[in-house]
Amino acid sequence: MKTLLIVYHTHGAKTARMAEAVERGARQALAEAEAEDQVRVLVKRCLEAGAEDLLGADALLLGTPENFGYMSGMMKDFLERAFYPCEGKVEGRPYAVFVGAGQDGSGAVASIERIVTGLRLRKAHPGVIGLRELTPEVLERCEELGATFAAGLALGAL
Ligand SMILES: Cc1cc2nc3c(=O)[nH]c(=O)nc-3n(C[C@H](O)[C@H](O)[C@H](O)COP(=O)(O)O)c2cc1C
């Protein structure tokens, strides 16, 4: 059984809705492929997540609002707690990022990428940035992100 870990933070609703869409897409893809017994989808808020979750994950999707041109403080806290226990133990595992932002989002993406590059995680998807009001199109892209990761893990093609 492989594990797809989705870790996210939200102050309000936006990134939470994006995380729900990512999870929905992952579960739908697994149901369609009749592969629910092959991939476990684990969703955690940053506060609940720890190094053991990352160590047990075969793939990782990280979601955060952009705050002050950076990832949220809670996402940074999660990565700070996980970094040293995971260093050298998660190399090559695929990851992608989804960001809920006002008008930019690139700083949140770059700040996460800088840290997970230190863990030698492998970027497997360009990710999703949702600007301003969430649109059905952005939520659809979140679903596709979840589906890509879940199906990729099930098929061993990620
Ligand atoms: C303290 C604070 C700082 C923010 N800084 C940025 C920023 O640097 N760039 C940006 O695009 N949006 C910024 N925003 C807007 C949030 O990223 C945006 O409202 C986001 O969708 C909130 O997601 P959430 O509802 O999941 O908490 C900021 C919002 C807050 C409250």
Side-chain angles (χ1 to χ4, degrees):
M1 183 80 139
K2 292 181 177 169
T3 298
L4 170 58
L5 176 65
I6 302 169
V7 179
Y8 75 97
H9 178 69
T10 183
H11 290 289
K14 189 170 181 179
T15 318
R17 286 182 61 207
M18 293 174 75
E20 283 165 13
V22 170
E23 179 184 8
R24 187 164 59 245
R27 294 196 188 283
Q28 276 170 3
L30 292 173
E32 281 166 22
E34 297 183 1
E36 290 136 308
D37 56 344
Q38 293 172 43
V39 179
R40 183 170 70 120
V41 180
L42 183 61
V43 184
K44 290 204 170 187
R45 296 283 291 257
C46 289
L47 193 60
E48 307 164 338
E52 67 285 356
D53 295 304
L54 185 47
L55 288 169
D58 296 282
L60 177 66
L61 291 168
L62 294 169
T64 180
E66 175 165 276
N67 292 334
F68 306 132
Y70 204 80
M71 74 182 90
S72 71
M74 297 309 293
M75 179 59 76
K76 184 163 177 280
D77 171 71
F78 163 64
L79 292 172
E80 285 173 358
R81 285 185 285 111
F83 191 89
Y84 285 112
C86 294
E87 195 179 23
K89 297 178 181 158
V90 292
E91 291 181 17
R93 295 187 198 174
Y95 83 93
V97 177
F98 56 96
V99 172
Q103 65 290 328
D104 187 355
S106 61
V109 174
S111 60
I112 290 180
E113 287 185 352
R114 200 157 45 241
I115 292 174
V116 299
T117 298
L119 289 172
R120 303 273 184 269
L121 295 182
R122 175 172 53 84
K123 186 175 177 178
H125 187 284
V128 180
I129 298 178
L131 300 179
R132 292 172 277 278
E133 293 301 312
L134 268 185
T135 61
E137 190 259 338
V138 168
L139 291 173
E140 198 174 307
R141 283 170 50 217
C142 289
E143 288 184 2
E144 284 167 7
L145 173 62
T148 299
F149 267 60
L153 273 184
L155 296 169
L158 198 57

